[in-house]
Amino acid sequence: MAWKVPMTGPLVGEEEANAVRQVILSGWLSGGPKVPEFERAFADFIGVRHAVALCNGTVALHAVLVAMGIGPGDEVIVPDITFISTATSVVHAAATPVFADIDPVTLNLDPQSMERQITARTRAVMPVHYAGQAADMDEILAIARQHGLEVIEDAAEAHGAEYRGRKVGSLGRAAMFSFTPNKNITTGEGGMVTTDDAELAERLRLLRNHGSKITYLHEMVGYNYRMTQMQAAMGIEQLRKLPRILERKRQLAAMLSKAVQEVPGLEPPGSLADRTHVYQLYTIRVNPALAGVTRDQLRDGLTRLGIETRVCFPPLHSQPIFRSGAVLGGSLAQSDRAGEEIVSLPIHNTMTDHETAYIGEGLQGAACR
Ligand SMILES: *Cc1c(COP(=O)(O)O)cnc(C)c1O
């Protein structure tokens, strides 16, 4: 259906079109200078020594796990509410994802639940900065240090988000950012790993290019995970626009939250004072007893008004691919509850004030029936 207000709308235009056009006319489409230029700019923006660009965020996570030597027999703890790649990248590396519960306010990984899931096989933890707000990194890093675990940030949704004055992507041993079109900046498809670890960055560069530095000489079994020149040229332009994009996101989120608070039974996203929220997603919670409708009834009402919504995300442990076997014990009660109550509303940079107000009216209409 054609939505009146769709979930995504990337802010791309003449700047990106011109940059891509120049690359195409140069005839140098891959393996050229635009990729290191984008990597340098991104590393500087995050405040780390190294950034490695890959063709998407999912393979970027896979490459990080392989580069760290994580594989068969190893366990990686991930939050139960996240996009599927956080967990499937672990499966791609032939390791086992273990699901931990989430904080009910931020929907981020609960450090206590994470600690309870640690076993002798645990090698790493992959906190997700859900919707664009940092996870409880100090607690997570302290627990990881105690148990000798790697910390890989899934920062796919959190370009520019800050945690206690530092940018996410600089907090763990490595971090992944995604540039798929629903993220705050996009290269069509694309991913980036940030790290201060020079050896890790070097291994990622090898893995990205068939394990080869010298043409047709292969030092390890690698992949073709390269980013194209067109993607990188677009990324350079998008990174310039990011501050403006984040400023508009904050405005849109403030407008939406005002509208959400006026409807009984609806809760705006919980945002904490010691970190900035960059609102790649805007996720509310529906309390059916107070709202008079269930989450799914609210979604149906909004759909009838042409307002697209999504459940970001159904609990991992409820997915058909994870329903049997590998998942270890432990309560996922908060995740189960969120799975019934959360819904994400449109928030993107081509959304107008008028459309934002329309969502507010839609919530009023869809709830108090
Ligand atoms: C988008 C996303 C990914 C995957 O990134 P792609 O570039 O689409 O492969 C991974 N994790 C999270 C949390 C995401 O939101």
Side-chain angles (χ1 to χ4, degrees):
M1 91 177 262
W3 297 102
K4 271 195 185 137
V5 192
M7 277 297 285
T8 60
L11 191 73
V12 291
E14 288 302 326
E15 297 84 357
E16 289 78 10
N18 286 333
V20 171
R21 182 185 155 82
Q22 275 173 27
V23 165
I24 290 172
L25 294 179
S26 80
W28 198 350
L29 306 184
S30 195
K34 286 289 168 192
V35 171
E37 188 186 333
F38 182 34
E39 289 175 338
R40 188 70 262 144
F42 202 85
D44 290 347
F45 172 71
I46 298 297
V48 291
R49 291 206 190 88
H50 309 281
V52 181
L54 299 103
C55 52
N56 63 62
T58 304
V59 303
L61 282 180
H62 174 230
V64 169
L65 291 162
V66 172
M68 288 179 173
I70 293 169
D74 296 334
E75 292 174 359
V76 178
I77 299 174
V78 303
D80 196 42
I81 297 280
T82 180
F83 182 62
I84 199 74
S85 301
T86 315
T88 50
S89 62
V90 177
V91 177
H92 295 154
T96 305
V98 174
F99 308 136
D101 210 359
I102 49 138
D103 176 273
V105 174
T106 61
L107 307 177
N108 268 325
L109 177 64
D110 171 359
Q112 267 81 53
S113 173
M114 164 203 149
E115 189 162 25
R116 283 195 294 272
Q117 304 286 32
I118 295 171
T119 72
R121 290 166 177 266
T122 309
R123 286 285 312 280
V125 54
M126 212 187 276
V128 175
H129 306 309
Y130 175 82
Q133 179 171 234
D136 291 328
M137 289 305 292
D138 282 347
E139 290 82 352
I140 291 165
L141 287 164
I143 296 165
R145 204 172 304 119
Q146 248 173 28
H147 295 268
L149 309 179
E150 303 280 13
V151 176
I152 304 161
E153 298 171 71
D154 182 338
E157 302 168 4
H159 318 65
E162 287 181 10
Y163 174 77
R164 301 183 173 168
R166 292 168 66 198
K167 288 236 173 63
V168 306
S170 68
L171 306 168
R173 170 121 179 269
M176 177 280 283
F177 292 86
S178 163
F179 307 113
T180 204
N182 66 358
K183 302 304 200 279
N184 280 346
I185 54 174
T186 183
T187 57
E189 298 291 350
M192 189 76 82
V193 176
T194 53
T195 182
D196 279 325
D197 184 330
E199 265 176 55
L200 185 70
E202 186 57 26
R203 267 201 299 284
L204 288 167
R205 293 203 163 90
L206 275 172
L207 286 169
R208 163 176 80 177
N209 189 39
H210 302 292
S212 167
K213 254 188 306 214
I214 298 164
T215 307
Y216 303 140
L217 183 70
H218 303 278
E219 299 171 41
M220 59 164 83
V221 176
Y223 309 88
N224 178 355
Y225 282 175
R226 293 186 300 261
M227 176 179 270
T228 67
Q229 287 253 97
M230 286 79 78
Q231 288 168 295
M234 202 173 159
I236 292 163
E237 298 303 324
Q238 285 276 284
L239 192 57
R240 290 200 182 107
K241 291 184 180 175
L242 183 57
R244 210 181 352 132
I245 288 172
L246 298 189
E247 182 50 40
R248 177 64 179 157
K249 284 267 167 144
R250 273 189 285 275
Q251 274 179 8
L252 291 169
M255 285 160 70
L256 285 172
S257 290
K258 196 156 168 282
V260 168
Q261 271 154 347
E262 280 168 17
V263 183
L266 302 190
E267 289 168 32
S271 74
L272 303 183
D274 61 351
R275 57 204 83 178
T276 60
H277 197 318
V278 295
Y279 296 103
Q280 187 263 325
L281 295 170
Y282 183 90
T283 303
I284 66 168
R285 203 183 257 277
V286 183
N287 179 334
L290 295 174
V293 287
T294 63
R295 186 270 316 274
D296 291 338
Q297 288 168 332
L298 183 86
R299 289 192 74 195
D300 289 345
L302 293 172
T303 299
R304 276 192 292 276
L305 296 168
I307 300 166
E308 189 182 11
T309 62
R310 288 188 194 160
V311 175
C312 299
F313 300 91
L316 288 177
H317 79 273
S318 71
Q319 292 289 347
I321 55 172
F322 292 127
R323 226 173 267 156
S324 64
V327 187
L328 301 190
S331 167
L332 298 169
Q334 291 300 340
S335 170
D336 277 326
R337 220 191 94 211
E340 301 279 310
E341 294 185 354
I342 60 173
V343 56
S344 301
L345 306 177
I347 184 164
H348 56 81
N349 274 268
T350 55
M351 214 161 103
T352 63
D353 287 3
H354 181 78
E355 286 168 329
T356 312
Y358 182 71
I359 296 172
E361 289 157 27
L363 290 171
Q364 288 276 0
C368 320
R369 288 186 307 174

